[in-house]
Amino acid sequence: MFGRICEPIDPIRTAELIEVSRAFAEPIGAAETIDKYVGRLVVQLIEELQRRGLGVRRADLIVEKVDGARQAIRAGTVKPVRDVAWLTKLFRDRTGKIEPGFGIEKLTLVAVMAEPLEERQKSSSLVEDEVTDVTPLIDIYGNRGSEKPPS
């Protein structure tokens, strides 16, 4: 209370937070290697979301560097998704902003916001509804410039 003794602060994390991570024995830094592991983390995250019947609305990729610095990249979607290819694309479009410095020792992908995924019923052949889904376009524009400040 008086500031005489160091008091470590543990961040409050909800039990519902879904995250997957990958630590590296040797630091990585090449863009292709980062993209490869981001793709693998997305697959693991989607598998966990599928087990829980959820879709991701907002996810953070947390990059922990050898020098102790952290960098985060955020991707969001208009509606909950479990599409591996789409989520991977949203992150890979932004991994160029990662500054590996002396190397990256850990990548963590966190589903910050997950919601129940509603399966849409396919229309019958009797009623042909031509519905254009513009959510991918909104996702792309919504993710431009939404980088999370380093923590």
Side-chain angles (χ1 to χ4, degrees), residues 15-18 45-57 79-83 87 111-119:
E16 299 159 8
L17 201 61
I18 301 168
L45 185 69
I46 296 299
E47 287 172 355
E48 185 59 35
L49 288 166
Q50 192 166 2
R51 275 193 283 277
R52 298 182 189 201
L54 300 172
V56 67
R57 284 276 320 275
K79 58 185 180 182
V81 296
R82 269 196 313 241
D83 185 347
L87 197 56
V112 178
M113 187 184 300
E115 297 175 357
L117 186 65
E118 298 175 10
E119 295 294 330

Side-chain angles (χ1 to χ4, degrees), residues 1-8:
M1 182 166 105
F2 296 109
R4 295 182 195 136
I5 299 173
C6 182
E7 216 177 318

Side-chain angles (χ1 to χ4, degrees), residues 2-64:
F2 296 109
R4 295 182 195 136
I5 299 173
C6 182
E7 216 177 318
I9 298 173
D10 293 328
I12 299 172
R13 302 190 81 150
T14 62
E16 299 159 8
L17 201 61
I18 301 168
E19 69 178 53
V20 293
S21 62
R22 171 78 159 112
F24 305 101
E26 292 291 323
I28 64 168
E32 303 84 31
T33 307
I34 295 169
D35 283 346
K36 177 175 78 171
Y37 285 107
V38 166
R40 290 179 181 178
L41 288 174
V42 168
V43 169
Q44 292 174 358
L45 185 69
I46 296 299
E47 287 172 355
E48 185 59 35
L49 288 166
Q50 192 166 2
R51 275 193 283 277
R52 298 182 189 201
L54 300 172
V56 67
R57 284 276 320 275
R58 186 179 315 144
D60 288 347
L61 175 66
I62 301 166
V63 179
E64 295 181 35

Side-chain angles (χ1 to χ4, degrees), residues 59-81:
D60 288 347
L61 175 66
I62 301 166
V63 179
E64 295 181 35
K65 303 175 190 177
V66 173
D67 61 1
R70 298 173 92 191
Q71 185 178 353
I73 295 176
R74 174 167 284 172
T77 60
V78 174
K79 58 185 180 182
V81 296

